[in-house]
Amino acid sequence: MQKQNTKAVKISDIVKVNMEIIDEKFKDCPDLIKKQIFLTDNTEAYFLYIEGLTNTDLIQRDFMKPVLSMDYEAINHKNKVNNIPADGIKYNEDMDSVINNVLAGDTVLLVDGIEYAISVSMKKYEKRSIDEPEVEKNVRGAHEGFIELMNVNMAILRRKIKNSNLKFKSIKVGETTNQIVNIAYIDGIADPAIVNKLYNKISGIDFDGILSAGYIEQMIVDFPNSIFPQYQATERPDRATSALLDGKLVVLTEGTPVVLMVPVTLFSFFKAPDDYSTHWVFGSLLGILRIASAIIAIYLPSVYIALTTFHYYMVPFNLLIPLAESRARVPFPPIMEAFIMEIVIEMLREAAIRLPTYIGSSIGVVGGIIIGQAAVQAGIVSELLIIVVAITAIASFITPSYDIGLALRTIRFLMMIATAVFGVIGIATITILILSNLVILESLEQPYFQPIIPFRPQNLKDTIIRAPLKFLKNRPTSNRPMDKKRGKKQ
């Protein structure tokens, strides 16, 4: 695709010349409405807008009708155009601005004899209702989620944070799509250096179109080869609000309900909004349960492979005999047996996600039961492995974040392969590699594995164990907040 000429073309005082440029740029664009009118003194003018992006009732009532009652002298003076009862009036001096405003949903007026265009924002938004996200359920919190419209998402945050310190830095990305990305932060809490760093990263994106927030994450991430997510995605406004109050930044992308929160740590992915809506004891128990489930989801199949392949002498004698009997009917080695069932579980998981809800739930339950029972009766897998795979699947579902769940699933397969070759040594090797990666990993140049490494004991009360709210008066230092206290009273 050829790059557009960067030299701006000034608006001509001859409206026909301007319309020739418009006709050339919008060739084969039948949704562009070009409405010719004449002022009271027969001066020719054109209204330009995209059908479907603008509110035609407002255009006719608040823009066209007042202009039709004006003459050339009234239009030619900018201070008199303010008589038009419309918000967001802008004046364009070049044709590129006219084209961009039309594509953004504005209505533009070109008048013969005037070397500027009048642009008015009268957009029409077709939107879905604000519902709770399907993948991030909440029990005691708000039941609303972001949608695809940027202005609605900004309004949701404004409604939750009624403070003028809530700021939005806008960036235009996408060589072809020209989408708007906003960085939300709270002035006085978020570190300006981190804000500028993220702004520069997003401004440097050179791509034709950003279809989702994941595009931005992949293009600005500090460690692109790491399997761990370094930006936290969410559709929940309450979670985004909590991140802003902690001093984090929230990236909103036009056209997608998913926002990104940064900087984050590994333990951020094991928290849910409900943890802070319940008693601190329950929140702590849930945090411990999620960490334990992640460990089970990673290690349990590998431990099964190691015990049945290399270290069977570690199995208690009472369990060894039933295990040997069930394994005697299986023609495959443990690694092949485990891989078959894990791949089947992953297939069922993806099928349940992609299919409609009422079909997906049936596929997950019926498919798991039928396939597991049939595999045991056919002698393809052992009874113990079915239990191992079922526990592993349940443990992996407990993780609140889909992104960290993908990382845990990938680690599980790598660890299974290493265990099949080296036994327990393979488990230890992969564990060391994962820990090494966590130690050097950063999220927007902030340590990813804190408060463990670097060790920051003051932040331990809000990681796995959640202290009572009255003891969480300090914001996490991992976000480098400017205002470290959650309140004015010390």
Side-chain angles (χ1 to χ4, degrees):
M1 183 180 69
Q2 295 181 349
K3 298 290 183 181
Q4 296 180 353
N5 189 2
T6 57
K7 184 177 179 180
V9 178
K10 293 293 184 180
I11 294 178
S12 172
D13 59 352
I14 303 175
V15 72
K16 294 294 186 184
V17 175
N18 299 327
M19 292 306 298
E20 289 177 359
I21 298 175
I22 293 294
D23 291 338
E24 180 183 353
K25 291 290 185 179
F26 288 93
K27 183 180 179 181
D28 295 332
C29 296
D31 54 342
L32 175 67
I33 305 301
K34 296 172 286 187
K35 189 172 184 62
Q36 183 186 31
I37 66 166
F38 292 91
L39 305 181
T40 56
D41 57 358
N42 289 327
T43 301
E44 187 180 14
Y46 285 88
F47 284 101
L48 306 175
Y49 59 90
I50 298 291
E51 187 177 17
L53 295 183
T54 54
N55 191 321
T56 55
D57 293 335
L58 288 180
I59 293 173
Q60 293 175 4
R61 186 189 68 189
D62 297 339
F63 199 8
M64 290 185 179
K65 187 176 180 180
V67 169
L68 287 172
S69 63
M70 302 172 72
D71 57 14
Y72 173 81
E73 291 298 329
I75 293 289
N76 196 30
H77 294 82
K78 294 182 181 179
N79 60 338
K80 292 186 179 180
V81 180
N82 292 328
N83 294 326
I84 299 176
D87 295 328
I89 296 178
K90 296 177 288 187
Y91 302 98
N92 307 133
E93 304 290 342
D94 58 82
M95 292 302 298
D96 287 342
S97 298
V98 170
I99 293 170
N100 290 334
N101 287 335
V102 170
L103 292 173
D106 293 349
T107 303
V108 176
L109 174 64
L110 290 171
V111 183
D112 192 30
I114 299 180
E115 294 182 345
Y116 63 86
I118 304 169
S119 176
V120 176
S121 179
M122 293 181 173
K123 300 177 182 178
K124 176 183 179 182
Y125 299 102
E126 297 291 345
K127 63 180 182 180
R128 62 181 176 90
S129 60
I130 300 176
D131 299 321
E132 185 175 13
E134 289 292 332
V135 296
E136 294 180 273
K137 294 296 184 181
N138 201 2
V139 178
R140 300 188 63 179
H143 297 279
E144 64 175 354
F146 289 118
I147 62 173
E148 287 74 15
L149 294 182
M150 175 69 74
N151 65 327
V152 175
N153 294 339
M154 293 171 65
I156 291 174
L157 291 180
R158 284 285 183 199
R159 191 165 62 244
K160 290 185 174 295
I161 304 177
K162 302 177 180 67
N163 195 310
S164 60
N165 288 330
L166 176 60
K167 308 295 184 182
F168 297 92
K169 291 179 74 75
S170 296
I171 312 167
K172 184 174 289 188
V173 297
E175 183 70 23
T176 301
T177 56
N178 291 315
Q179 293 165 275
I180 298 297
V181 173
N182 279 316
I183 301 174
Y185 66 98
I186 299 180
D187 190 21
I189 298 181
D191 186 355
I194 296 180
V195 176
N196 293 331
K197 193 173 299 179
L198 181 60
Y199 181 87
N200 294 332
K201 281 178 173 290
I202 297 178
S203 299
I205 293 178
D206 183 16
F207 208 65
D208 59 346
I210 305 299
L211 303 183
S212 68
Y215 282 56
I216 296 177
E217 179 182 2
Q218 295 176 68
M219 293 180 182
I220 64 175
V221 73
D222 294 328
F223 292 81
N225 295 324
S226 176
I227 62 174
F228 288 99
Q230 296 149 56
Y231 288 61
Q232 188 173 8
T234 184
E235 293 184 51
R236 298 196 62 91
D238 52 355
R239 177 171 282 184
T241 302
S242 176
L244 290 170
L245 294 174
D246 283 343
K248 296 180 181 180
L249 314 182
V250 174
V251 181
L252 299 92
T253 307
E254 188 177 20
T256 175
V258 178
V259 304
L260 300 176
M261 300 176 294
V262 65
V264 294
T265 65
L266 175 67
F267 300 101
S268 302
F269 296 94
F270 294 94
K271 295 180 182 178
D274 279 336
D275 296 348
Y276 300 91
S277 301
T278 58
H279 194 276
W280 67 273
V281 173
F282 306 142
S284 300
L285 289 176
L286 291 174
I288 295 173
L289 178 63
R290 294 189 189 107
I291 295 295
S293 299
I295 295 174
I296 291 173
I298 292 174
Y299 286 101
L300 190 56
S302 298
V303 170
Y304 171 82
I305 294 172
L307 293 178
T308 55
T309 304
F310 298 99
H311 313 288
Y312 52 86
Y313 51 84
M314 298 177 62
V315 181
F317 185 75
N318 293 335
L319 181 61
L320 182 61
I321 294 177
L323 177 61
E325 291 177 351
S326 64
R327 286 283 308 138
R329 301 191 302 269
V330 179
F332 304 111
I335 179 62
M336 183 72 69
E337 178 189 18
F339 252 100
I340 290 174
M341 289 309 301
E342 285 293 340
I343 290 175
V344 169
I345 291 296
E346 294 299 325
M347 292 168 62
L348 288 173
R349 188 201 304 259
E350 286 300 311
I353 293 175
R354 309 304 168 192
L355 289 172
T357 304
Y358 57 89
I359 300 178
S361 58
S362 302
I363 289 292
V365 176
V366 177
I369 295 175
I370 293 177
I371 293 177
Q373 184 66 27
V376 171
Q377 292 181 352
I380 299 177
V381 297
S382 63
E383 292 91 338
L384 181 59
L385 179 63
I386 293 296
I387 298 175
V388 168
V389 171
I391 295 175
T392 302
I394 294 172
S396 64
F397 287 137
I398 296 177
T399 306
S401 172
Y402 179 74
D403 292 333
I404 198 68
L406 290 175
L408 297 180
R409 288 150 68 181
T410 304
I411 294 172
R412 179 166 71 245
F413 281 105
L414 292 176
M415 193 162 289
M416 288 168 60
I417 295 173
T419 304
V421 179
F422 302 106
V424 173
I425 297 177
I427 296 178
T429 302
I430 297 298
T431 301
I432 292 173
L433 292 176
I434 294 301
L435 291 176
S436 301
N437 182 245
L438 290 174
V439 169
I440 66 172
L441 207 58
E442 294 179 347
S443 174
L444 205 60
E445 301 185 6
Q446 303 306 308
Y448 190 75
F449 203 37
Q450 58 180 321
I452 305 300
I453 299 176
F455 185 64
R456 291 172 176 168
Q458 67 272 24
N459 290 344
L460 290 175
K461 56 189 176 182
D462 192 18
T463 51
I464 302 174
I465 302 295
R466 204 218 85 192
L469 290 178
K470 63 181 180 180
F471 295 116
L472 300 179
K473 293 297 183 67
N474 294 330
R475 293 186 172 89
T477 58
S478 58
N479 307 320
R480 285 172 38 186
M482 303 298 292
D483 183 3
K484 296 180 172 54
K485 297 291 183 179
R486 297 181 187 270
K488 300 304 179 185
K489 295 181 181 181
Q490 304 298 324

